[in-house]
Amino acid sequence: MIVNERETPEGLLVAVCDADVLGERFEGDGVTLEVTEKFYGGEAVDEAAVVDSLARATVANIVGTRAVDLAIEEGFVDEANVLEVGDTKHAQLLWM
């Protein structure tokens, strides 16, 4: 998986995606999702590093079946709130 972390005035923004969806475009049910290098491109990491990044995130965008499933398994995302866009999954996380 690929993780990109950015510090913002509001906190840590984390973008996570499966490596195989980077650069892809997904469409479904009136939704278009582009997994751009500019936003999602970052460092290839293992699952433990993804979990660490998500644990520190204020906001996270997660794309890809493997990445979203990991976020669900680790309790960051409720499966009921996951979008299926084309052939992939997308979830967002916001701690308030």
Side-chain angles (χ1 to χ4, degrees):
M1 285 174 270
I2 298 172
V3 171
N4 187 330
E5 295 185 357
R6 295 175 185 85
E7 281 295 338
T8 73
E10 292 79 25
L12 182 65
L13 168 63
V14 174
V16 179
C17 71
D18 293 353
D20 64 339
V21 301
L22 187 62
E24 297 293 325
R25 178 185 173 117
F26 299 93
E27 294 183 17
D29 296 328
V31 176
T32 300
L33 175 63
E34 289 192 50
V35 189
T36 64
E37 176 73 35
K38 182 176 181 180
F39 188 79
Y40 288 94
E43 183 178 348
V45 298
D46 62 15
E47 289 185 356
V50 171
V51 170
D52 177 66
S53 288
L54 291 175
R56 294 180 292 107
T58 304
V59 177
N61 287 278
I62 310 160
V63 179
T65 301
R66 185 171 162 220
V68 171
D69 286 348
L70 178 63
I72 293 167
E73 290 167 18
E74 294 295 326
F76 295 108
V77 172
D78 185 324
E79 189 170 5
N81 296 320
V82 172
L83 295 176
E84 291 193 21
V85 183
D87 296 349
T88 197
K89 294 179 180 179
H90 174 63
Q92 294 181 323
L93 166 69
L94 172 63
W95 295 111
M96 298 178 84

